[in-house]
Amino acid sequence: MAAHFANMDAWISPITMETAPSLEEFVETERGLALALGITRNTQSTNYFGLCAASLPLTSPDTSLPIGFQLMGAGGSDIVILAMEAERAFAQGGAHGPLSSPEPASASLAPERSPGRVGLP
């Protein structure tokens, strides 16, 4: 898998292909297991291949339940993935507001890399 990340810091992909089910949908055991396996199929490869990832929630206009995407990086690239997520959150006025420094967070955290090189799997 490391070869896939040779020219990029992260892949972007949807976390799930559907919005999150309600808790009531997990009451029946077989249905709950099928839902759990189905909604985690896009994130399972991160665990299987020893990658790191950050899940980024988004608001869906048609439902109050969250949807989102994930940034997946090579194993051990946690700081790059977290820095990319921090930049996105702060740029959008996250919990602590926009970055006060003109330097991107990932540049100061991972100067040996060129942050933001993102691909689609």
Side-chain angles (χ1 to χ4, degrees):
M1 287 303 291
H4 292 287
F5 292 99
N7 295 315
M8 69 183 82
D9 293 322
W11 286 347
I12 298 175
S13 68
I15 294 172
T16 67
M17 301 307 289
E18 57 195 74
T19 57
S22 67
L23 289 177
E24 290 81 27
E25 294 181 71
F26 287 92
V27 172
E28 194 266 309
T29 304
E30 282 188 40
R31 170 94 172 117
L33 180 58
L35 282 170
L37 291 174
I39 62 175
T40 61
R41 73 176 180 249
N42 290 3
T43 60
Q44 291 172 13
S45 60
T46 302
N47 297 323
Y48 294 149
F49 295 114
L51 306 174
C52 67
S55 297
L56 315 170
L58 302 170
T59 302
S60 173
D62 61 339
T63 180
S64 62
L65 297 173
I67 60 171
F69 65 95
Q70 62 183 337
L71 290 175
M72 291 187 292
S77 67
D78 304 53
I79 194 73
V80 174
I81 298 298
L82 290 172
M84 291 173 78
E85 166 51 10
E87 278 189 83
R88 183 202 62 86
F90 290 134
Q92 293 181 348
H96 302 290
L99 288 174
S100 58
S101 167
E103 178 182 44
S106 56
S108 61
L109 294 173
E112 72 282 357
R113 301 284 310 256
S114 199
R117 296 176 296 156
V118 178
L120 297 172

